[in-house]
């Protein structure tokens, strides 16, 4: 992509999708730029898109899936906007310190590329207001996501979260307790820290998971479970016309695994529903413990939820010794799955009910 030189190009650039829930446009907003009449546009848009996708896909998407909607406070900054913010003491570090940070399209001193966003997680705001600490979120991210750096601030539980080609894995804060929470070499850096964020997870409000999902599941239309080699996207919706091969490819396949520890793990790369259920990295492989994941970290697999975007019916799979494939499968309305997705987790009792009756 060439340098942006007119409004039409900027409009198209803002519409670039970085991940399922994030577009470039929301990372271009800057109060500094808006108030002082500055353009916040990358000099190298292709690089900005590339690292922005890494930031969103590897960090922001799983964070939002677990804790609900997140708010972008500050994303991309052009060198001009960042320099102005630094010179006017508007909470911007120097350009040299923000290359491969808020300035996404310029590498750092080692030639590495990276991207940072300052975000607010409303669930964390509520937790802090009830007496909790920002450290709970910090430790959850440390245990679950491939972040490079986290820096927490005193207002609204806001924090910088950064993706980097060569991640530092360090957490510091301007909020109390100030300073480094952890970094390479500190005794608390390794292992798991579940006790540190149990309270945060328990505080998550899920008012609709039990009531709305249960009603949707109990009113579902159940059909025979699909078998290997028999699955076609058209079969997922009763009476739906058979889509063309182009349409099938265009519909993303979504895979979520529910473990005893990780309650809504996102896995990508499945090209079809059949692959997501019966493939070597699908549900069958997961329950057979043949998938290359850290089972100790995530815990025992309980369920796998699979659906294709644009369809009204998805599937939930669980382990079954009575089945020749090693798994049992039931239909699950996508309306119910969307409730789980919005809340960042599925209620075990709701999924279990899919296999009763």
């Amino acid at each position: 992509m060439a340098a942006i030189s007119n409004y039409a190009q900027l409009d198209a650039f803002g519409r670039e999708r970085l991940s399922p829930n994030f577009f470039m446009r929301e990372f271009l907003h800057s109060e500094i730029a808006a108030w002082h009449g500055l353009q916040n546009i990358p000099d190298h848009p292709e690089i900005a898109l590339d690292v922005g996708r890494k930031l969103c896909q590897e960090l922001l998407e799983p964070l939002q899936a677990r804790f609900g909607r997140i708010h972008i406070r500050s994303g991309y900054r052009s060198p001009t906007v960042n320099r102005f913010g630094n010179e006017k003491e508007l909470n911007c570090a120097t350009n040299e310190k923000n290359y491969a940070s808020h300035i996404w399209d310029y590498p750092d001193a080692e030639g590495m590329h990276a991207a940072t966003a300052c975000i607010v997680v409303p669930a964390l705001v509520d937790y802090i207001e009830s007496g909790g600490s920002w450290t709970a979120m910090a430790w959850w991210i440390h245990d679950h996501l491939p972040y490079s750096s986290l820096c927490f601030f005193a207002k609204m539980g806001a924090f910088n979260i950064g993706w980097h080609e060569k991640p530092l894995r360090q957490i510091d804060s301007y909020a109390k307790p100030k300073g480094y929470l952890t970094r390479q070499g500190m005794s608390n850096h390794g292992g798991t820290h579940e006790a540190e964020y149990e309270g945060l997870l328990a505080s998550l409000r899920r008012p609709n998971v039990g009531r709305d999902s249960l009603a949707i599941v109990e009113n579902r239309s159940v059909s025979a479970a699909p078998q290997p080699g028999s699955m076609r996207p058209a079969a997922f919706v009763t009476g739906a016309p058979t889509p063309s091969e182009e349409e099938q490819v265009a519909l993303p396949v979504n895979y979520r695994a529910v473990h005893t520890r990780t309650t809504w793990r996102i896995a990508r790369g499945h090209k079809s529903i059949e692959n997501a259920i019966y493939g070597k990295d699908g549900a069958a492989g997961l329950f057979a413990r043949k998938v290359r994941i850290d089972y100790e970290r995530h815990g025992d697999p309980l369920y796998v939820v699979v659906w294709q975007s644009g369809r009204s019916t998805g599937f939930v799979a669980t382990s079954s010794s009575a089945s020749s494939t090693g798994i049992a499968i039931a239909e699950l309305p996508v309306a119910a799955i969307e409730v789980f997705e919005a809340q960042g987790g599925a209620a075990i009792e709701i999924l279990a009910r899919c296999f009763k009756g």
Side-chain angles (χ1 to χ4, degrees):
M1 179 181 292
I4 297 169
S5 59
N6 57 57
Y7 173 78
Q9 292 175 345
L10 178 60
D11 181 60
F13 180 68
R15 296 174 191 272
E16 288 284 344
R17 194 170 191 171
L18 303 181
S19 68
N21 290 294
F22 295 97
F23 293 80
M24 189 66 205
R25 187 176 187 272
E26 59 197 297
F27 295 93
L28 296 177
H29 175 73
S30 164
E31 279 91 355
I32 294 175
W35 186 258
H36 295 283
L38 304 173
Q39 289 189 342
N40 193 38
I41 302 173
D43 294 329
H44 309 284
E46 202 63 54
I47 295 176
L49 289 174
D50 183 54
V51 295
R53 290 188 177 105
K54 296 291 198 314
L55 172 69
C56 291
Q57 294 171 11
E58 298 186 21
L59 298 179
L60 300 188
E61 285 287 356
L63 188 66
Q64 180 162 288
R66 188 66 188 90
F67 293 98
R69 186 74 172 93
I70 66 176
H71 167 60
I72 308 299
R73 284 282 305 143
S74 177
Y76 173 80
R77 295 181 200 155
S78 71
T80 299
V81 169
N82 190 81
R83 183 180 297 109
F84 183 91
N86 175 255
E87 292 173 351
K88 301 299 181 180
E89 298 183 351
L90 299 175
N91 298 317
C92 296
T94 64
N95 280 13
E96 289 70 23
K97 290 184 177 180
N98 259 324
Y99 289 145
S101 181
H102 279 292
I103 303 175
W104 296 2
D105 54 331
Y106 283 83
D108 60 20
E110 296 181 359
M112 297 288 182
H113 288 94
T116 290
C118 182
I119 66 174
V120 170
V121 182
L124 178 61
V125 175
D126 296 339
Y127 181 66
I128 292 174
E129 289 179 350
S130 68
S133 172
W134 61 268
T135 58
M137 177 63 76
W139 285 122
W140 186 90
I141 294 173
H142 184 74
D143 282 0
H144 294 85
L145 302 182
Y147 77 100
S148 176
S149 60
L150 300 174
C151 182
F152 285 77
F153 303 102
K155 293 182 180 180
M156 300 176 66
F159 60 97
N160 281 348
I161 180 169
W163 176 90
H164 195 284
E165 286 186 274
K166 187 178 179 181
L168 292 173
R169 303 283 294 175
Q170 70 178 30
I171 305 172
D172 64 319
S173 175
Y174 291 100
K176 296 180 180 180
K178 295 182 179 181
Y180 284 106
L181 178 67
T182 191
R183 57 178 171 174
Q184 297 284 352
M186 291 180 66
S187 60
N188 64 355
H189 198 265
T192 61
H193 308 82
E194 293 179 40
E196 301 292 339
Y197 47 82
E198 282 180 351
L200 173 60
L201 298 182
S203 74
L204 295 180
R205 295 179 299 199
R206 299 189 192 176
N208 297 325
V209 167
R211 183 179 67 252
D212 293 353
S213 298
L214 179 58
I216 295 169
V217 169
E218 290 188 331
N219 289 318
R220 75 189 190 282
S221 174
V222 180
S223 63
Q227 297 300 315
S230 67
M231 302 179 68
R232 295 183 299 118
F236 304 154
V237 183
T238 303
T242 301
S244 66
E245 290 185 5
E246 291 78 11
E247 289 174 326
Q248 292 178 27
V249 171
L251 298 174
V253 173
N254 306 284
Y255 178 111
R256 304 290 184 265
V258 179
H259 297 256
T260 53
R261 293 180 180 173
T262 303
T263 59
W264 201 242
R265 181 175 63 82
I266 301 173
R268 297 182 175 85
H270 296 289
K271 303 301 182 183
S272 68
I273 292 291
E274 184 171 12
N275 174 263
I277 294 178
Y278 296 111
K280 65 183 181 69
D281 291 323
L286 179 69
F287 291 114
R289 290 183 172 268
K290 295 181 179 179
V291 175
R292 290 178 294 178
I293 64 166
D294 189 340
Y295 283 91
E296 182 177 352
R297 172 184 170 185
H298 296 294
D300 294 328
L302 301 175
Y303 297 96
V304 169
V305 178
V306 177
W307 76 102
Q308 193 164 25
S309 299
R311 300 296 175 185
S312 63
T313 305
F315 298 95
V316 55
T318 191
S319 178
S320 173
S321 58
S323 170
S324 61
T325 61
I327 57 174
I329 305 169
E331 284 190 349
L332 183 63
V334 171
I337 298 173
E338 288 175 344
V339 175
F340 300 150
E341 184 81 345
Q343 301 297 333
I348 300 301
E349 63 271 18
I350 304 301
L351 297 181
R353 193 177 290 267
C354 293
F355 297 93
K356 294 180 180 180

